Amino acid sequence: MTNTAIKVVGLGKQYQIGQQQESYKTMRDSIAHILAAPLRAVRSFGKKAAKPEAGTFWALRDVSFEVPRGEAVGVIGRNGAGKSTLLKVLSRITEPTTGYADIQGRVRSLLEVGTGFHQELTGRENIFLNGAILGMHREEITRKFDEIVAFAEVEKFIDTPVKRYSSGMYLRLAFAVAANLESEILFVDEVLAVGDAAFQKKCLGKMSEVAREGRTVVFVSHNMSAVKELCQSGILLDAGHVAFQGGSAECIGRYLKLVEEKPIVVEAGAKPFVVGQVQIHSRAGNAIVSGEPFKVTLPVAGQQVRNPSMYFIIEDFTGNTVVHSRINGNDIGAELIDGVYRLELDLPALWMAPGVYTAYFKFIVLNADSSSSSSGRVMSERAIVEVHGEFKHHGKAMLSPDVDWRLQPTPSTSAQIVPTATQ
């Protein structure tokens, strides 16, 4: 048996721009469509048919890589890089335009909440249906059934149709089925972006267990600390191409550098408030030394923004907050009228356990001419941060340290920063 679980050669996926995909139709819809055909013909008589928008778009182009059997690999990249398209091709949900993928072993995919679930069937029936689709015998599914239900915490509702499940119940059962059924290869796409912190921690623990069992895991996520914690290697996609494949730490470093190398010029008339990349400054460079003070900076650009509420947060890889600081813009004289600024934070010594964390900013923004209600929430991209040193404290890190916030104008209003989406 070969040691390669996934071999991708020259894979490409092309989409037609402006081509509308036909939605799924029931038999009733089809009959109604046929009966209404004469009426549509009369209405369209003499009218010119609208021409579809021409053009094509390559979501993936000449993608090639190999994943060894039993390895957990993280797939990362900016939005629109082709990550989800890659998993859909590998899962046989969509056909590639060019190239091929050779996959050795049974595959289970969790690309969206409840992928493969039938709305009219109960939770119990969906577990057996998914197992049968995977090629498992009923005895195998029965053996795993109690474990799946216990993980999903839906014992009371296991014989209820899943269309009546809450989104949380639906997600828990979908993940439990994907992670517990005995497949050799597991594809997971951003499932950890949904659910509360407790469930995300549970999912991360299960995925770590699956990887230790020797199964192959392909994990798409924007949570860099989770990728570094769970995956031995990483694949960086950029504009549909493989920009790098190697160790997860180096792959994440390349991703952060790639983001920094693609700035967007902030121009008049753009978004009223945009932010750049989070930067950590200490004697260890962009890492934090446990028990030593450090500085955090963030470039921001504002147009007629008054008194923004500003938050700085550090989370561990399970999503638990270990550092939290908040301040109102008025408290530091923050008025972003028209220009580019530098937000600076001086943090005291924090006793944090060595490991991988993520740091990010959140802003509740008001326009200067708006009412008191908030006009938007802006989140910075999460920066992956390593903590070095020794953990000499028996308690947790401070949750609300005394932080010195400052906002300084930059010398030039033409500075380039990478904006993130307003949520």
Side-chain angles (χ1 to χ4, degrees), residues 309-326:
S309 295
M310 301 182 285
Y311 302 78
F312 174 68
I313 300 165
I314 298 180
E315 296 178 351
D316 63 17
F317 85 98
T318 61
N320 293 321
T321 298
V322 294
V323 176
H324 182 279
S325 179
R326 176 189 179 278

Side-chain angles (χ1 to χ4, degrees), residues 284-297:
N286 57 0
I288 296 172
V289 180
S290 186
E292 294 187 10
F294 60 96
K295 175 185 271 189
V296 182
T297 60

